[in-house]
Amino acid sequence: MSRVLFVMITLVVFGLLIKLGLWQLSRAAFKQEWQSTLIVRQQQHALNYEAMLALVNLSKLPTGSESEAALLTGYRLSILAKPVNNTIMLLDNQVYQGQVGYLAYQVFEITPEQPWILVELGFVAANKDRRILPQLEPLEIRYYTLYGRVYQKQTNPFSDQLDAEQRADAPIRFQNINTAALADMLEHSLIPVVLQPENVPRYNLPQPWVPIPLSAQKHQGYALQWFTMAGVFLGLMSWIAYRQYRR
């Protein structure tokens, strides 16, 4: 291997490892800022539905910030709404305290003209036989005063399809919260946030709250790993170069 090629490979790989470490540090800084934003939102008064719709429209405006910065997760919301129907929806492949299961939802209407909203009922464990779905009693169709916090699931670039499984007299099992696809299935507009109410009538199911999938500390740990790998790689290449020079 020529000296020029050796030096080029060393610089390219070393620079790539350093760049990955710096990217992780930038993600850590963003997550710290995002955590502070969530704390502030939790301390604010609950919004009404009109104010939430206004925020949704505002979040669609183009900005120069990262995509997560436009998320509405963490805002508190208070609504007077009723279930659209008696259908229970189950978000598949959820884990809570080491147990695999589903997040149960029901679609609610505020007024016939406004977008509907997906309301989380809570976590329910899955049967070992995937053909057997949990049987939950839907909330009866009448108006409820619901208050709690909203969240938006971050888009999975590898799988964001709704993939709804509809069977007669059974809950709808789906794979991802894709509000656009869900709105098409329901044939009605749907607000792109989910309400996790503190006062689900008749239910006492656990409600997982993981607004930040990876903490700032995790990103800092990954950054340290990349920087360590860069140092080890540079040391190894320097040792090889020294051996070649001695020969």
Side-chain angles (χ1 to χ4, degrees):
M1 182 185 298
S2 68
R3 293 180 180 178
V4 174
L5 182 59
F6 180 85
V7 171
M8 287 181 61
I9 292 175
T10 301
L11 293 177
V12 169
V13 175
F14 178 75
L16 178 62
L17 294 173
I18 292 295
K19 187 175 181 179
L20 288 170
L22 293 174
W23 180 78
Q24 289 291 348
L25 286 181
S26 69
R27 296 300 299 163
F30 174 77
K31 292 298 178 68
Q32 288 175 332
E33 181 181 351
W34 182 225
Q35 182 63 51
S36 299
T37 299
L38 287 174
I39 293 173
V40 171
R41 289 179 179 179
Q42 289 296 288
Q43 295 172 344
Q44 294 174 343
H45 293 295
L47 302 173
N48 59 30
Y49 200 60
E50 287 70 21
M52 180 57 66
L53 287 174
L55 280 178
V56 168
N57 292 330
L58 187 62
S59 71
K60 294 177 182 177
L61 297 176
T63 63
S65 58
E66 299 183 58
S67 60
E68 290 100 328
L71 289 178
L72 302 175
T73 296
Y75 278 109
R76 303 191 67 78
L77 176 65
S78 178
I79 58 174
L80 177 65
K82 67 177 181 179
V84 171
N85 50 42
N86 292 321
T87 302
I88 294 290
M89 304 191 67
L90 299 173
L91 179 59
D92 202 0
N93 299 315
Q94 302 301 298
V95 179
Y96 177 71
Q97 295 184 348
Q99 192 171 25
V100 178
Y102 304 92
L103 281 177
Y105 299 91
Q106 206 166 344
V107 181
F108 276 66
E109 169 193 285
I110 288 78
T111 66
E113 297 78 19
Q114 291 178 312
W116 293 343
I117 185 170
L118 200 60
V119 175
E120 180 190 307
L121 304 180
F123 175 85
V124 58
N127 193 290
K128 292 182 179 180
D129 187 344
R130 281 186 53 83
R131 295 172 298 180
I132 302 176
L133 296 178
Q135 296 299 317
L136 298 175
E137 188 70 24
L139 296 177
E140 61 180 282
I141 301 178
R142 64 178 180 83
Y143 278 97
Y144 301 90
T145 298
L146 302 175
Y147 56 89
R149 54 197 174 190
V150 301
Y151 62 83
Q152 291 174 297
K153 290 285 188 180
Q154 295 187 22
T155 304
N156 184 341
F158 302 104
S159 174
D160 64 350
Q161 300 302 307
L162 185 67
D163 289 334
E165 303 172 28
Q166 294 180 275
R167 294 184 288 175
D169 301 323
I172 297 175
R173 178 166 57 190
F174 64 109
Q175 300 302 314
N176 298 285
I177 296 181
N178 185 324
T179 51
L182 184 56
D184 289 340
M185 187 184 79
L186 297 172
E187 298 182 343
H188 194 282
S189 58
L190 197 70
I191 189 171
V193 297
V194 178
L195 174 61
Q196 186 185 71
E198 299 174 1
N199 59 326
V200 181
R202 297 196 349 256
Y203 277 100
N204 192 28
L205 298 174
Q207 294 179 304
W209 178 250
V210 189
I212 303 178
L214 280 179
S215 65
Q217 290 75 21
K218 283 279 189 181
H219 285 291
Q220 290 169 347
Y222 292 147
L224 180 60
Q225 291 179 8
W226 286 118
F227 291 143
T228 301
M229 290 174 62
V232 171
F233 174 78
L234 184 61
L236 176 63
M237 299 304 278
S238 298
W239 178 76
I240 293 174
Y242 176 73
R243 289 281 303 270
Q244 293 292 331
Y245 174 78
R246 289 294 299 271
R247 290 178 181 177

